[in-house]
């Protein structure tokens, strides 16, 4: 096989949040990402085609958040280039070997799809600008006053599903915020989701879940820290509030271990973040396993730039198919002062692709 003229380069960028993004693990003010570009020469047209993907590990959270990330990404990109020269089977084998590097894998998968398909990665009603994707309004942790203001902002913008990050301020004050929403909006008007990011101690978790359940909450993400399978399984059995796993999926990249996790804990939902949970390949694997076990799921971004958000949105539309009704976690495109322009637009509580 004749080698094709090809170049792969990597660009590191720092994005800056418009407002500090608070979670129970700390506050983000900036975001480091790596853009990977594949340039391939087309001998027929004598032109270069370029595909771009985003590699964006989350500090102290991603399983491939490693000290020498830049050097490792460079080495893996060289392996990727070699696989591309050998053909589809080699690329597939390379992607399978990248399971433990999900943020790198996601960037490479995206870059290749972008090279082949352009910014509209899949042929879907969303990709044809015929349907939007329903999304939740995200309310970051902050002071009581800050969170109340953000809640009111999301409700005024027309969001019918609001997700609150909890676990940073006093629990009673957080319950007050939830009570405020419920005094003004019923569960039929506003779907409420909360994300504890593992903030509860196992000994107190059930009591707090019982308290939250009084407010007709849709679900709670990761009430206790990951890695406590027996405790999480007990909570899933006893909680009056449906539990969704998020961080629990991080680093569980082998299909056998994925099955063991789902069978042991048996959650109501899993929340899949391609950059954290195995790239596009791993996302499809998690979805298939969840569907086999009648576990619900939704897909969310993980503070990527619009490059990554665009890829996740197109993947979500492809996985779900037409007529999606479950709100997804894709409302992160307006977080940065220096984001990368992509043909994405939020209209009310839906994300739209407004490309060609």
């Amino acid at each position: 096989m004749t080698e094709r003229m090809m170049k792969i380069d990597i660009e590191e960028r720092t994005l800056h949040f418009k407002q500090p993004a608070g979670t129970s693990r700390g506050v983000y003010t900036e975001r480091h990402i790596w853009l990977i570009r594949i340039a391939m020469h087309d001998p027929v047209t004598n032109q270069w085609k370029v595909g771009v993907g985003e590699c964006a590990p989350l500090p102290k959270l991603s399983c491939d958040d490693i000290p020498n990330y830049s050097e490792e990404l460079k080495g893996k990109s060289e392996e990727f280039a070699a696989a591309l020269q050998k053909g589809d089977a080699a690329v597939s084998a390379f992607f399978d070997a990248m399971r433990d590097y999900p943020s790198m894998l996601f960037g490479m998968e995206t870059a290749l799809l972008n090279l082949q398909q352009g910014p509209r990665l899949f042929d879907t009603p969303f990709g044809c600008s015929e349907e939007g994707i329903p999304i939740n309004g995200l309310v970051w942790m902050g002071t009581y006053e800050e969170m109340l203001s953000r809640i009111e902002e999301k409700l005024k913008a027309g969001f019918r599903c609001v997700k609150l990050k909890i676990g940073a301020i006093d629990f009673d004050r957080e319950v007050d915020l939830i009570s405020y929403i419920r005094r003004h909006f019923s569960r039929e008007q506003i779907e409420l989701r909360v994300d504890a990011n593992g903030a509860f101690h196992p000994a107190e978790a059930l009591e707090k879940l019982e308290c939250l359940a009084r407010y007709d909450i849709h679900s709670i993400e990761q009430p206790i820290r990951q890695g406590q399978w027996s405790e999480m399984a007990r909570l899933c059995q006893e909680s009056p509030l449906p539990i969704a796993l998020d961080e629990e999926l991080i680093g569980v990249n082998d299909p056998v271990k994925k099955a063991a996790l789902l069978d042991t804990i048996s959650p109501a939902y899993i929340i899949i973040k391609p950059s954290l949970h195995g790239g596009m390949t791993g996302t499809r694997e998690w979805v298939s396993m969840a569907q086999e076990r009648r576990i619900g799921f939704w897909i969310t971004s993980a503070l990527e730039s619009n490059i990554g958000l665009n890829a996740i949105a197109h993947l979500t539309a492809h996985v779900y198919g037409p007529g999606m009704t479950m709100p997804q976690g894709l409302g992160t495109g307006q977080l940065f002062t220096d984001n990368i322009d992509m043909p994405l637009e939020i209209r009310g509580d839906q994300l739209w692709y407004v490309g060609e």
Side-chain angles (χ1 to χ4, degrees):
M1 178 179 176
T2 304
E3 284 200 357
R4 292 168 287 186
M5 292 176 62
M6 184 192 335
K7 296 180 289 187
I8 293 184
D9 68 77
I10 299 164
E11 175 193 355
E12 185 174 355
R13 284 199 185 192
T14 299
L15 305 176
H16 300 87
F17 284 88
K18 294 177 181 177
Q19 299 175 352
T23 75
S24 60
R25 292 183 299 272
V27 178
Y28 294 110
T29 58
E30 59 183 26
R31 182 79 163 97
H32 298 292
I33 66 169
W34 287 258
L35 299 179
I36 180 169
R37 292 184 177 85
I38 307 172
M40 191 171 292
H41 183 259
D42 185 340
V44 177
T45 63
N46 197 32
Q47 293 181 336
W48 287 87
K49 293 181 65 177
V50 178
V52 184
E54 178 177 354
C55 305
L58 278 171
K60 300 180 182 179
L61 189 60
S62 297
C63 65
D64 57 353
D65 173 39
I66 50 180
N68 61 333
Y69 190 92
S70 291
E71 293 77 12
E72 192 71 24
L73 178 59
K74 184 177 184 298
K76 296 297 183 186
S77 296
E78 291 171 357
E79 294 177 30
F80 183 32
L84 286 169
Q85 293 287 5
K86 294 176 182 177
D88 292 345
V91 171
S92 179
F94 171 76
F95 283 166
D96 190 61
M98 286 291 291
R99 285 179 177 271
D100 291 334
Y101 300 89
S103 66
M104 298 184 193
L105 173 58
F106 176 65
M108 293 174 184
E109 290 172 314
T110 300
L112 182 57
L113 267 176
N114 184 219
L115 178 74
Q116 296 168 337
Q117 306 294 337
R120 191 182 78 176
L121 303 185
F122 299 100
D123 185 14
T124 64
F126 171 76
C128 295
S129 304
E130 296 169 355
E131 284 186 2
I133 296 175
I135 59 175
N136 61 246
L138 178 59
V139 176
W140 290 97
M141 288 178 178
T143 65
Y144 180 92
E145 291 73 20
E146 287 170 341
M147 291 184 72
L148 179 58
S149 173
R150 293 166 188 168
I151 289 168
E152 291 175 337
E153 178 185 308
K154 296 301 179 186
L155 298 179
K156 287 178 182 176
F159 283 94
R160 292 169 291 175
C161 176
V162 175
K163 171 180 164 179
L164 281 73
K165 295 270 189 179
I166 64 172
I169 62 175
D170 179 75
F171 180 70
D172 290 337
R173 296 283 276 170
E174 291 172 334
V175 172
D176 284 344
L177 288 166
I178 293 168
S179 175
Y180 168 83
I181 298 176
R182 276 292 168 251
R183 286 198 304 272
H184 294 82
F185 299 93
S186 69
R187 65 183 298 175
E188 287 74 29
Q189 293 171 303
I190 295 292
E191 178 179 288
L192 273 179
R193 300 174 180 174
V194 295
D195 182 3
N197 284 127
F200 298 164
H201 188 279
E204 66 181 10
L206 185 58
E207 181 181 351
K208 289 187 173 181
L209 294 177
E210 289 171 345
C211 177
L212 291 169
R214 299 170 195 157
Y215 299 97
D216 292 321
I217 290 174
H218 173 270
S219 58
I220 181 169
E221 295 181 32
Q222 206 67 42
I224 63 175
R225 288 201 177 274
Q226 68 266 39
Q228 305 175 82
W229 285 18
S230 60
E231 290 289 347
M232 188 68 86
R234 177 183 63 83
L235 283 178
C236 287
Q237 283 186 330
E238 299 178 4
S239 172
L241 186 59
I243 291 175
L245 303 184
D246 178 358
E247 288 91 344
E248 201 72 65
L249 311 184
I250 296 172
V252 183
N253 302 316
D254 178 77
V256 174
K257 291 182 179 178
K258 290 180 180 181
L261 183 150
L262 296 179
D263 291 337
T264 299
I265 298 177
S266 192
Y269 301 97
I270 60 172
I271 299 160
I272 309 167
K273 297 176 178 174
S275 289
L276 290 172
H277 301 145
M280 294 190 176
T281 304
T283 295
R284 295 185 188 282
E285 204 165 70
W286 279 116
V287 167
S288 176
M289 289 184 172
Q291 289 174 330
E292 288 171 2
R293 293 161 176 80
R294 299 186 179 180
I295 295 171
F297 72 93
W298 63 89
I299 298 174
T300 191
S301 52
L303 307 181
E304 295 89 356
S305 79
N306 280 336
I307 298 287
L309 178 60
N310 179 71
I312 296 169
H314 284 280
L315 173 64
T316 301
H318 193 243
V319 166
Y320 266 89
M324 192 188 320
T325 57
M326 171 74 83
Q328 309 294 308
L330 304 177
T332 58
Q334 300 172 323
L335 293 177
F336 304 109
T337 60
D338 43 7
N339 210 334
I340 299 164
D341 287 337
M342 289 296 288
L344 298 171
E345 182 179 294
I346 293 179
R347 301 176 188 167
D349 65 347
Q350 292 192 335
L351 180 69
W352 285 78
Y353 178 73
V354 292
E356 76 286 359

